[in-house]
Amino acid sequence: MSNIVIVFDFDKTIIDCDSDNWLIDELGFTDLFNQLLPTMPWNSVMDKMMMEFHANGVTIEEIEKVLHRIPIHHRIVPAIKAAYALGCDLRVVSDANMFYIETILKHLGISEYFSEINTNPGYVNEEGRVRISPYHDFNKCSHGCTLCPPNMCKGLIIDRIQNTISEVDKKRFIYLGDGAGDYCPSLRLRERDFVMPRKNFPIWDLICKDPLLIKAEINGWSDGEELEQVLLHLINKIMMEEHVQFISTDCKLQTLSIPVLESMPKALSVRP
């Protein structure tokens, strides 16, 4: 196990669309969704939509089949498998829901690669319909963050993950995301960490307004191929730095010999 924790957003990061919109459009409920959206919070709208699916005879199996064919770039799964094989701790922090994410990750054959999924609760109830509720119950208490939607502050989730990992372990984080909700957790990262915002998406625009607010190193990506290249490059970079530090400590800060340097893993090249 390496000292690298990789946190993935889900919609438009692991998959290449918004999972709620995909499901609604594919099942033909777009007009109803657009009517309901101005009247209640997003999670409440989606819970209502699940009730409408059920009332109109849409089965759980039909919902799963639609989720199984959700768009995903062909290099995303290999990137996740490679990161896991290199010993990285993979986690999901997403404003989708547990039913979608577990259904899709299981279908892709990569569910076991993630040690933790943080998202809005979503499950099939005894009546055979999906229920969706907010991660933070904002009707009882606000999470207090003005940057994030009322149902989820990803920054608080990153704080919790950081606090559960001993500082002695010196874990280094790589955070990948696309949306405005991914900006808050990016602000929580430290100088030794990395943030991978999707180029020309809301998080990219927010970071570009004042990049100096981000302590972590910023590495953008545009599609699944570039995500894979940049992610594996960063993993190699971290592992090489740790390798150098280990050798330096082991040699009591003596000068490294050329053969030792040549034996170190090489960073992957990244196209501009």
Side-chain angles (χ1 to χ4, degrees):
M1 179 68 69
S2 74
N3 284 327
I4 305 171
V5 178
I6 305 176
V7 181
F8 291 86
D9 174 41
F10 191 72
D11 290 347
K12 300 180 183 178
T13 300
I14 289 180
I15 62 173
D16 214 13
C17 68
D18 180 275
S19 51
D20 284 328
N21 291 135
W22 170 263
L23 186 61
I24 290 163
D25 293 344
E26 290 293 301
L27 291 175
F29 285 77
T30 307
D31 289 342
L32 177 59
F33 174 77
N34 290 335
Q35 292 171 21
L36 292 174
L37 190 57
T39 68
M40 62 185 78
W42 187 284
N43 293 114
S44 301
V45 174
M46 288 311 303
D47 189 55
K48 174 72 172 175
M49 293 304 302
M50 294 299 167
M51 184 179 74
E52 293 294 332
F53 294 165
H54 185 68
N56 283 273
V58 179
T59 66
I60 297 299
E61 290 74 23
E62 287 174 301
I63 293 173
E64 290 176 338
K65 286 179 181 178
V66 172
L67 293 174
H68 288 171
R69 56 175 200 266
I70 206 159
I72 179 170
H73 192 280
H74 69 280
R75 296 312 307 169
I76 294 294
V77 170
I80 289 170
K81 289 182 175 180
Y84 180 81
L86 289 167
C88 299
D89 177 3
L90 311 185
R91 307 187 186 214
V92 172
V93 176
S94 167
D95 199 3
N97 67 74
M98 191 65 77
F99 176 76
Y100 291 176
I101 294 175
E102 287 186 335
T103 298
I104 294 168
L105 293 183
K106 183 178 179 180
H107 175 68
L108 294 172
I110 54 175
S111 59
E112 69 274 16
Y113 297 144
F114 293 90
S115 65
E116 183 180 70
I117 297 173
N118 301 272
T119 188
N120 299 297
Y123 64 94
V124 180
N125 70 3
E126 63 280 357
E127 298 174 357
R129 81 171 178 95
V130 179
R131 295 301 310 268
I132 296 173
S133 55
Y135 182 85
H136 294 297
D137 189 351
F138 52 84
N139 292 313
K140 291 183 178 180
C141 182
S142 169
H143 55 57
C145 175
T146 59
L147 295 174
C148 295
N151 66 292
M152 174 176 283
C153 173
K154 292 186 178 182
L156 290 177
I157 297 173
I158 290 298
D159 285 346
R160 179 189 57 77
I161 294 173
Q162 289 174 331
N163 291 335
T164 57
I165 296 174
S166 171
E167 188 65 26
V168 177
D169 294 334
K170 295 183 179 179
K171 298 286 187 180
R172 299 178 71 176
F173 282 70
I174 303 175
Y175 186 97
L176 301 91
D178 72 283
D182 297 306
Y183 181 63
C184 180
S186 300
L187 292 170
R188 312 294 180 108
L189 301 174
R190 299 153 297 190
E191 289 183 2
R192 67 173 182 261
D193 298 328
F194 301 85
V195 59
M196 288 180 56
R198 190 167 187 178
K199 297 174 184 176
N200 302 315
F201 277 71
I203 185 178
W204 178 263
D205 297 335
L206 287 168
I207 289 176
C208 287
K209 287 181 180 178
D210 192 350
L212 295 179
L213 293 177
I214 304 293
K215 299 184 183 72
E217 183 180 305
I218 302 166
N219 293 263
W221 59 280
S222 58
D223 58 21
E225 184 175 359
E226 193 171 15
L227 181 153
E228 180 185 39
Q229 292 172 343
V230 175
L231 180 61
L232 295 183
H233 166 72
L234 292 179
I235 294 171
N236 267 301
K237 177 179 178 179
I238 295 170
M239 293 178 72
M240 188 163 65
E241 289 175 356
E242 291 177 350
H243 191 59
V244 169
Q245 186 177 22
F246 172 78
I247 294 176
S248 297
T249 303
D250 192 52
C251 296
K252 294 183 170 53
L253 302 180
Q254 292 180 11
T255 303
L256 294 173
S257 65
I258 292 176
V260 170
L261 283 170
E262 289 178 344
S263 69
M264 293 179 190
K266 304 299 188 297
L268 296 176
S269 60
V270 178
R271 281 183 260 165

